[in-house]
Protein backbone atom coordinates (compact mmCIF):
# COMPACT_ATOMS: atom_id res chain seq x y z
CA UNK A 1 0.00 0.00 0.00
CA UNK A 2 1.33 3.43 -0.97
CA UNK A 3 2.00 5.49 2.17
CA UNK A 4 2.79 8.79 0.45
CA UNK A 5 1.00 11.74 2.04
CA UNK A 6 -2.41 12.41 0.50
CA UNK A 7 -2.69 15.96 -0.79
CA UNK A 8 -6.31 15.69 -2.02
CA UNK A 9 -8.37 14.77 1.02
CA UNK A 10 -12.01 13.68 1.17
CA UNK A 11 -13.24 15.18 4.45
CA UNK A 12 -16.34 13.54 5.91
CA UNK A 13 -18.51 15.00 8.66
CA UNK A 14 -20.16 12.31 10.81
CA UNK A 15 -23.11 14.34 12.04
CA UNK A 16 -24.82 12.58 14.94
CA UNK A 17 -24.10 8.84 15.23
CA UNK A 18 -26.01 6.48 17.49
CA UNK A 19 -24.22 7.03 20.78
CA UNK A 20 -25.65 8.36 24.03
CA UNK A 21 -24.49 11.90 23.30
CA UNK A 22 -27.70 13.92 22.99
CA UNK A 23 -27.75 14.88 26.67
CA UNK A 24 -24.04 15.72 26.64
CA UNK A 25 -24.13 18.50 24.05
CA UNK A 26 -26.88 20.77 22.82
CA UNK A 27 -25.21 20.79 19.40
CA UNK A 28 -25.88 17.10 18.62
CA UNK A 29 -28.61 17.12 15.94
CA UNK A 30 -31.64 14.94 16.65
CA UNK A 31 -34.60 15.74 14.39
CA UNK A 32 -34.43 15.32 10.60
CA UNK A 33 -34.54 19.11 10.25
CA UNK A 34 -31.61 19.52 12.66
CA UNK A 35 -29.57 16.76 10.99
CA UNK A 36 -30.17 18.24 7.53
CA UNK A 37 -29.33 21.73 8.77
CA UNK A 38 -26.10 20.39 10.28
CA UNK A 39 -25.26 18.65 6.99
CA UNK A 40 -25.71 21.88 5.06
CA UNK A 41 -23.59 23.79 7.58
CA UNK A 42 -20.85 21.14 7.34
CA UNK A 43 -20.90 21.40 3.55
CA UNK A 44 -20.63 25.18 3.75
CA UNK A 45 -17.67 24.78 6.13
CA UNK A 46 -15.91 22.68 3.50
CA UNK A 47 -16.87 19.03 4.03
CA UNK A 48 -16.74 16.77 0.98
CA UNK A 49 -19.24 14.26 2.42
CA UNK A 50 -21.65 13.78 5.30
CA UNK A 51 -22.20 10.51 7.17
CA UNK A 52 -25.77 10.26 8.42
CA UNK A 53 -27.52 8.38 11.19
CA UNK A 54 -31.05 9.25 12.29
CA UNK A 55 -32.57 9.46 15.75
CA UNK A 56 -36.06 9.31 17.23
CA UNK A 57 -37.11 12.97 17.24
CA UNK A 58 -38.84 12.57 20.62
CA UNK A 59 -36.25 10.60 22.59
CA UNK A 60 -32.97 11.10 20.70
CA UNK A 61 -32.49 7.33 20.62
CA UNK A 62 -30.94 5.79 17.50
CA UNK A 63 -33.45 4.72 14.86
CA UNK A 64 -33.77 2.66 11.68
CA UNK A 65 -36.95 4.45 10.51
CA UNK A 66 -36.94 4.83 6.72
CA UNK A 67 -39.15 7.91 6.91
CA UNK A 68 -36.54 9.73 9.01
CA UNK A 69 -33.76 8.96 6.54
CA UNK A 70 -36.01 10.04 3.68
CA UNK A 71 -36.80 13.36 5.34
CA UNK A 72 -33.14 14.12 6.08
CA UNK A 73 -32.04 13.40 2.50
CA UNK A 74 -34.96 15.31 0.99
CA UNK A 75 -34.28 18.33 3.19
CA UNK A 76 -30.60 18.39 2.19
CA UNK A 77 -31.44 18.11 -1.50
CA UNK A 78 -34.13 20.80 -1.28
CA UNK A 79 -31.47 23.32 -0.27
CA UNK A 80 -29.46 22.62 -3.42
CA UNK A 81 -26.41 21.82 -1.30
CA UNK A 82 -23.75 19.82 -3.13
CA UNK A 83 -22.46 17.13 -0.78
CA UNK A 84 -21.69 13.41 -1.02
CA UNK A 85 -24.29 11.52 1.03
CA UNK A 86 -23.15 8.56 3.10
CA UNK A 87 -25.91 6.74 5.01
CA UNK A 88 -25.16 4.33 7.81
CA UNK A 89 -26.31 0.76 7.26
CA UNK A 90 -24.87 -0.40 10.55
CA UNK A 91 -28.03 -0.13 12.63
CA UNK A 92 -29.67 -3.43 13.57
CA UNK A 93 -26.56 -5.14 14.92
CA UNK A 94 -26.92 -4.48 18.65
CA UNK A 95 -27.12 -7.53 20.91
CA UNK A 96 -27.27 -6.95 24.67
CA UNK A 97 -26.54 -10.20 26.53
CA UNK A 98 -28.75 -10.94 29.53
CA UNK A 99 -26.98 -10.99 32.88
CA UNK A 100 -28.76 -14.10 34.11
CA UNK A 101 -29.57 -16.25 31.09
CA UNK A 102 -27.27 -15.15 28.26
CA UNK A 103 -29.82 -16.15 25.61
CA UNK A 104 -32.46 -13.96 27.27
CA UNK A 105 -31.42 -10.85 25.42
CA UNK A 106 -31.64 -7.64 27.41
CA UNK A 107 -33.23 -4.25 26.76
CA UNK A 108 -31.43 -2.34 24.03
CA UNK A 109 -31.13 -5.32 21.70
CA UNK A 110 -31.86 -4.38 18.09
CA UNK A 111 -30.70 -7.29 15.97
CA UNK A 112 -31.81 -8.01 12.40
CA UNK A 113 -30.19 -9.82 9.50
CA UNK A 114 -27.90 -8.19 6.97
CA UNK A 115 -30.57 -7.48 4.36
CA UNK A 116 -32.98 -5.98 6.89
CA UNK A 117 -30.36 -3.30 7.62
CA UNK A 118 -30.68 -1.97 4.06
CA UNK A 119 -34.28 -0.85 3.26
CA UNK A 120 -33.40 2.87 3.46
CA UNK A 121 -30.42 2.26 1.18
CA UNK A 122 -32.65 0.43 -1.31
CA UNK A 123 -35.15 3.29 -1.30
CA UNK A 124 -32.84 6.31 -1.29
CA UNK A 125 -29.80 4.97 -3.20
CA UNK A 126 -27.24 7.22 -1.49
CA UNK A 127 -23.77 7.75 -2.93
CA UNK A 128 -22.28 5.62 -0.14
CA UNK A 129 -23.52 3.38 2.66
CA UNK A 130 -21.51 1.80 5.44
CA UNK A 131 -20.91 -1.91 5.95
CA UNK A 132 -19.58 -2.82 9.41
CA UNK A 133 -17.22 -5.69 8.68
CA UNK A 134 -17.38 -7.85 11.78
CA UNK A 135 -18.60 -8.44 15.30
CA UNK A 136 -17.02 -6.73 18.30
CA UNK A 137 -17.47 -6.20 22.04
CA UNK A 138 -18.76 -2.62 22.06
CA UNK A 139 -17.61 -0.91 25.22
CA UNK A 140 -17.86 -2.20 28.76
CA UNK A 141 -20.88 -4.19 29.82
CA UNK A 142 -22.75 -6.69 27.68
CA UNK A 143 -23.27 -5.01 24.29
CA UNK A 144 -21.96 -6.95 21.31
CA UNK A 145 -22.19 -5.56 17.79
CA UNK A 146 -23.05 -8.52 15.55
CA UNK A 147 -22.10 -8.70 11.89
CA UNK A 148 -21.35 -12.27 10.83
CA UNK A 149 -19.68 -13.43 7.59
CA UNK A 150 -23.03 -14.67 6.25
CA UNK A 151 -24.71 -11.33 7.05
CA UNK A 152 -21.85 -9.42 5.47
CA UNK A 153 -21.74 -11.42 2.26
CA UNK A 154 -25.51 -11.02 1.83
CA UNK A 155 -25.33 -7.29 2.58
CA UNK A 156 -22.34 -6.68 0.32
CA UNK A 157 -24.02 -8.50 -2.57
CA UNK A 158 -27.20 -6.43 -2.22
CA UNK A 159 -25.29 -3.14 -1.95
CA UNK A 160 -23.34 -4.10 -5.08
CA UNK A 161 -26.60 -4.84 -6.93
CA UNK A 162 -27.92 -1.39 -5.95
CA UNK A 163 -24.84 0.35 -7.36
CA UNK A 164 -24.09 2.05 -4.04
CA UNK A 165 -20.46 2.32 -2.91
CA UNK A 166 -19.93 0.49 0.41
CA UNK A 167 -17.69 2.14 2.97
CA UNK A 168 -16.12 -0.82 4.75
CA UNK A 169 -16.08 0.00 8.46
CA UNK A 170 -13.08 -1.70 10.06
CA UNK A 171 -12.93 -1.81 13.86
CA UNK A 172 -10.14 -4.38 14.17
CA UNK A 173 -7.60 -6.28 12.09
CA UNK A 174 -9.72 -9.44 11.78
CA UNK A 175 -12.45 -7.34 10.20
CA UNK A 176 -9.94 -6.01 7.68
CA UNK A 177 -8.95 -9.59 6.89
CA UNK A 178 -12.57 -10.49 6.14
CA UNK A 179 -13.26 -7.31 4.14
CA UNK A 180 -10.29 -8.17 1.95
CA UNK A 181 -11.75 -11.65 1.54
CA UNK A 182 -15.04 -10.17 0.29
CA UNK A 183 -13.07 -7.98 -2.11
CA UNK A 184 -11.21 -11.02 -3.42
CA UNK A 185 -14.52 -12.86 -3.86
CA UNK A 186 -15.81 -10.05 -6.08
CA UNK A 187 -18.43 -8.78 -3.61
CA UNK A 188 -16.73 -5.37 -3.34
CA UNK A 189 -16.15 -3.36 -6.51
CA UNK A 190 -13.06 -1.25 -7.11
CA UNK A 191 -12.06 1.18 -5.88
CA UNK A 192 -12.68 -0.47 -2.52
CA UNK A 193 -13.24 2.09 0.23
CA UNK A 194 -12.15 1.43 3.81
CA UNK A 195 -12.86 3.40 7.00
CA UNK A 196 -10.37 2.45 9.73
CA UNK A 197 -12.18 3.13 13.02
CA UNK A 198 -9.93 3.52 16.05
CA UNK A 199 -10.25 4.25 19.73
CA UNK A 200 -13.64 2.61 20.24
CA UNK A 201 -13.56 0.13 23.13
CA UNK A 202 -12.76 -2.65 22.40
CA UNK A 203 -11.64 -2.58 18.81
CA UNK A 204 -8.43 -1.19 17.37
CA UNK A 205 -6.82 1.35 19.73
CA UNK A 206 -5.99 4.87 18.58
CA UNK A 207 -2.32 4.05 18.27
CA UNK A 208 -0.26 5.30 15.31
CA UNK A 209 1.55 1.98 15.05
CA UNK A 210 -1.73 0.07 14.83
CA UNK A 211 -3.02 2.44 12.15
CA UNK A 212 0.22 2.06 10.19
CA UNK A 213 -0.08 -1.73 10.36
CA UNK A 214 -3.69 -1.65 9.15
CA UNK A 215 -2.78 0.66 6.27
CA UNK A 216 -0.06 -1.80 5.24
CA UNK A 217 -2.71 -4.53 4.99
CA UNK A 218 -5.04 -2.62 2.66
CA UNK A 219 -5.49 -3.85 -0.93
CA UNK A 220 -3.52 -1.99 -3.57
CA UNK A 221 -5.57 0.73 -5.24
CA UNK A 222 -8.05 1.08 -2.40
CA UNK A 223 -9.27 4.39 -1.02
CA UNK A 224 -9.28 4.71 2.75
CA UNK A 225 -9.89 7.03 5.65
CA UNK A 226 -9.48 6.73 9.38
CA UNK A 227 -10.81 8.41 12.47
CA UNK A 228 -10.32 8.34 16.22
CA UNK A 229 -12.77 9.37 18.89
CA UNK A 230 -12.65 12.05 21.55
CA UNK A 231 -9.53 14.20 21.94
CA UNK A 232 -7.69 12.15 19.33
CA UNK A 233 -10.04 13.26 16.54
CA UNK A 234 -7.93 16.12 15.20
CA UNK A 235 -4.55 14.39 15.61
CA UNK A 236 -6.03 11.53 13.57
CA UNK A 237 -6.81 13.86 10.69
CA UNK A 238 -3.07 14.43 10.42
CA UNK A 239 -2.17 10.78 11.05
CA UNK A 240 -4.50 9.70 8.29
CA UNK A 241 -3.44 12.06 5.53
CA UNK A 242 0.27 11.65 6.30
CA UNK A 243 -0.17 7.91 5.64
CA UNK A 244 -2.04 8.57 2.39
CA UNK A 245 -5.65 8.49 3.56
CA UNK A 246 -8.74 10.64 3.89
CA UNK A 247 -10.26 12.02 7.11
CA UNK A 248 -13.44 12.12 9.18
CA UNK A 249 -14.54 14.45 11.96
CA UNK A 250 -17.90 15.27 13.54
CA UNK A 251 -20.09 14.99 16.60
CA UNK A 252 -20.57 11.25 16.15
CA UNK A 253 -16.98 10.82 17.33
CA UNK A 254 -16.14 13.89 19.42
CA UNK A 255 -18.14 16.66 21.09
CA UNK A 256 -15.40 19.22 21.73
CA UNK A 257 -13.60 21.87 19.71
CA UNK A 258 -11.01 22.25 22.48
CA UNK A 259 -10.84 21.37 26.15
CA UNK A 260 -14.20 22.27 27.71
CA UNK A 261 -15.50 23.99 24.54
CA UNK A 262 -18.37 22.16 22.88
CA UNK A 263 -18.33 22.08 19.08
CA UNK A 264 -20.75 22.13 16.21
CA UNK A 265 -20.19 19.91 13.19
CA UNK A 266 -19.37 22.95 11.07
CA UNK A 267 -16.72 24.09 13.56
CA UNK A 268 -15.08 20.67 13.55
CA UNK A 269 -15.05 20.63 9.75
CA UNK A 270 -13.58 24.12 9.63
CA UNK A 271 -10.85 23.18 12.12
CA UNK A 272 -10.02 19.96 10.26
CA UNK A 273 -9.89 21.78 6.91
CA UNK A 274 -7.46 24.29 8.39
CA UNK A 275 -5.28 21.48 9.70
CA UNK A 276 -5.29 19.76 6.32
CA UNK A 277 -4.30 22.98 4.58
CA UNK A 278 -1.56 23.68 7.13
CA UNK A 279 0.03 20.36 6.16
CA UNK A 280 0.16 21.42 2.52
CA UNK A 281 -2.89 19.41 1.42
CA UNK A 282 -6.37 20.46 0.34
CA UNK A 283 -9.95 19.27 0.84
CA UNK A 284 -11.68 17.74 -2.18
CA UNK A 285 -14.87 19.24 -3.50
CA UNK A 286 -17.86 16.86 -3.55
CA UNK A 287 -17.44 16.37 -7.31
CA UNK A 288 -13.76 15.57 -6.86
CA UNK A 289 -14.68 13.06 -4.15
CA UNK A 290 -17.23 11.44 -6.48
CA UNK A 291 -14.63 11.12 -9.20
CA UNK A 292 -12.00 9.70 -6.81
CA UNK A 293 -14.45 7.08 -5.50
CA UNK A 294 -16.04 6.45 -8.92
CA UNK A 295 -19.51 7.05 -7.54
CA UNK A 296 -22.49 6.67 -9.86
CA UNK A 297 -23.09 10.40 -10.16
CA UNK A 298 -19.49 10.87 -11.30
CA UNK A 299 -20.17 8.84 -14.44
Amino acid sequence: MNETMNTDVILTAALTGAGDTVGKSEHVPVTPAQIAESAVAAAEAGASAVHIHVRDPETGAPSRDNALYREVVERIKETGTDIVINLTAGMGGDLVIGQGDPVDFAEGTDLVNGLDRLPHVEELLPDICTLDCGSVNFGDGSLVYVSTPDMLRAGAKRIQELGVRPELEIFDTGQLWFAKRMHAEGLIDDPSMFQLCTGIPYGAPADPGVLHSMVNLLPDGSQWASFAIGRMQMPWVAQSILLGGHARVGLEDNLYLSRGVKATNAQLVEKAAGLIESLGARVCTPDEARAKLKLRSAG
Side-chain angles (χ1 to χ4, degrees):
M1 187 71 198
N2 187 354
E3 295 174 9
T4 303
M5 174 177 155
N6 181 18
T7 56
D8 297 296
V9 179
I10 298 171
L11 178 58
T12 297
L15 302 174
T16 188
D20 184 20
T21 54
V22 172
K24 297 175 182 176
S25 173
E26 65 276 18
H27 299 306
V28 175
V30 174
T31 68
Q34 290 169 345
I35 296 168
E37 181 181 358
S38 195
V40 171
E44 291 173 347
S48 317
V50 286
H51 173 58
I52 298 170
H53 288 248
V54 294
R55 294 177 179 268
D56 184 310
E58 300 298 323
T59 66
S63 175
R64 290 189 286 112
D65 187 338
N66 271 29
L68 297 176
Y69 283 106
R70 186 186 314 121
E71 184 178 348
V72 171
V73 172
E74 287 176 351
R75 283 178 176 272
I76 294 170
K77 290 183 175 179
E78 283 169 1
T79 69
T81 300
D82 184 23
I83 194 75
V84 173
I85 292 180
N86 175 339
L87 298 184
T88 184
M91 304 302 295
D94 290 349
L95 175 60
V96 183
I97 302 297
Q99 290 300 293
D101 182 352
V103 297
D104 181 17
F105 302 143
E107 182 179 354
T109 294
D110 178 30
L111 184 61
V112 297
N113 68 37
L115 295 181
D116 286 341
R117 302 178 194 185
L118 296 174
H120 61 302
V121 177
E122 293 175 327
E123 176 186 344
L124 298 171
L125 296 177
D127 300 296
I128 300 166
C129 74
T130 59
L131 187 64
D132 294 63
C133 288
S135 302
V136 64
N137 289 332
F138 216 91
D140 288 307
S142 296
L143 173 61
V144 179
Y145 182 82
V146 177
S147 192
T148 68
D150 282 345
M151 290 175 176
L152 284 163
R153 285 190 171 99
K157 184 169 186 284
R158 183 62 181 138
I159 293 166
Q160 187 178 56
E161 290 169 351
L162 294 170
V164 174
R165 176 71 65 201
E167 181 181 81
L168 305 169
E169 306 292 291
I170 306 297
F171 292 86
D172 216 340
T173 51
Q175 297 185 10
L176 178 52
W177 182 2
F178 184 72
K180 289 171 64 179
R181 179 69 179 269
M182 289 194 294
H183 179 258
E185 291 172 0
L187 292 169
I188 307 296
D189 293 330
D190 289 323
S192 52
M193 179 185 177
F194 291 80
Q195 180 71 259
L196 307 178
C197 314
T198 71
I200 298 165
Y202 287 97
D207 177 281
V210 172
L211 179 63
H212 195 176
S213 296
M214 294 172 79
V215 170
N216 284 338
L217 293 171
L218 292 169
D220 288 339
S222 61
Q223 296 286 336
W224 67 274
S226 72
F227 70 86
I229 62 172
R231 66 184 181 86
M232 294 302 291
Q233 181 173 83
M234 289 300 161
W236 231 247
V237 171
Q239 291 283 354
S240 186
I241 70 170
L242 289 171
L243 286 175
H246 304 289
R248 166 173 141 172
V249 295
L251 295 177
E252 176 170 350
D253 307 320
N254 162 53
L255 299 177
Y256 292 93
L257 189 64
S258 58
R259 187 175 182 87
V261 180
K262 292 177 182 175
T264 66
N265 280 307
Q267 288 172 329
L268 292 170
V269 169
E270 186 176 6
K271 185 173 182 178
L275 175 57
I276 290 165
E277 290 166 6
S278 74
L279 291 171
R282 58 181 289 275
V283 178
C284 290
T285 67
D287 272 345
E288 289 169 339
R290 292 181 185 104
K292 195 177 283 282
L293 298 174
K294 297 185 179 177
L295 302 178
R296 289 169 309 161
S297 52

